[in-house]
């Protein structure tokens, strides 16, 4: 839901349909925070002329399971050497390599970052049950993943 005011204000009403629900707030095109709507209104930490409120959700992207490699043991050791994420107009990328989502540094541009974000990884893993990587984030900002390339080294 988008609300507009003629002059900047900190208290916004008209959010009755979100009562007692947690929403993300974006004020003047800047993510503010998650908050619970009470009495159909919210209070911002700064005055703004435009407010967007919406339910928070987490999108998750992960690769398909790996098929067993021919002539290789199922429990072979492997390591990810390098991955490249091709992004389009994206402002946030949280990458989980098995230790929880870690924000990746992207250039701050008005229309978001478009291009390749390369990630190098250290350490060996065993087993192919878990995904090699995962993107899990709930930022209320644009995110478009076009492709991922993944360089993998496997030993017996």
């Amino acid at each position: 839901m988008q609300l507009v005011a003629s002059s900047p204000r900190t208290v916004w009403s008209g959010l009755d349909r979100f009562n007692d629900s947690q929403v993300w707030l974006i004020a003047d095109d800047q993510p503010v925070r998650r908050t619970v709507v009470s009495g159909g209104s919210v209070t911002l930490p700064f005055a703004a002329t435009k407010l967007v409120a919406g339910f928070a959700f987490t999108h998750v992207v992960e690769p398909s399971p790996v098929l067993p490699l021919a002539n290789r043991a199922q429990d072979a050791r492997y390591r990810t050497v390098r991955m490249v994420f091709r992004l389009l107009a994206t402002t946030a990328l949280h990458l989980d390599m098995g230790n929880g989502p870690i924000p990746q540094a992207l250039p701050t541009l008005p229309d978001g970052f478009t291009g390749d974000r390369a990630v190098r990884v250290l350490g060996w893993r065993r087993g192919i049950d878990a995904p090699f990587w995962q993107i899990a984030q709930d930022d209320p900002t644009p995110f478009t993943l076009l492709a991922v390339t993944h360089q993998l080294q496997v030993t017996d």
Side-chain angles (χ1 to χ4, degrees), residues 26-141:
I26 301 174
D28 290 338
D29 299 323
Q30 297 299 316
V32 178
R33 66 174 184 235
R34 283 182 176 206
T35 191
V36 175
V37 177
S38 178
S41 66
V42 295
T43 303
L44 299 176
F46 59 88
T49 57
K50 184 169 69 169
L51 178 73
V52 177
F55 290 117
F57 68 94
T58 301
H59 71 264
V60 177
V61 180
E62 61 185 30
S64 299
V66 175
L67 297 174
L69 301 170
N71 302 325
R72 297 274 186 181
Q74 285 282 22
D75 199 28
R77 290 184 335 137
Y78 68 89
R79 73 180 188 103
T80 298
V81 177
R82 181 176 187 253
M83 295 183 307
V84 178
F85 296 86
R86 180 154 293 168
L87 304 168
L88 174 68
T90 296
T91 56
L93 174 64
H94 298 266
L95 182 59
D96 184 351
M97 297 294 297
N99 297 328
I102 298 172
Q104 302 297 306
L106 296 176
T108 304
L109 302 169
D111 295 328
F113 173 72
T114 296
D116 293 345
R117 173 66 170 104
V119 178
R120 291 200 170 272
V121 183
L122 298 173
W124 290 85
R125 296 172 74 178
R126 192 175 287 280
I128 58 173
D129 296 334
F132 297 121
W133 56 268
Q134 181 184 68
I135 296 170
Q137 58 194 49
D138 67 352
D139 298 60
T141 58

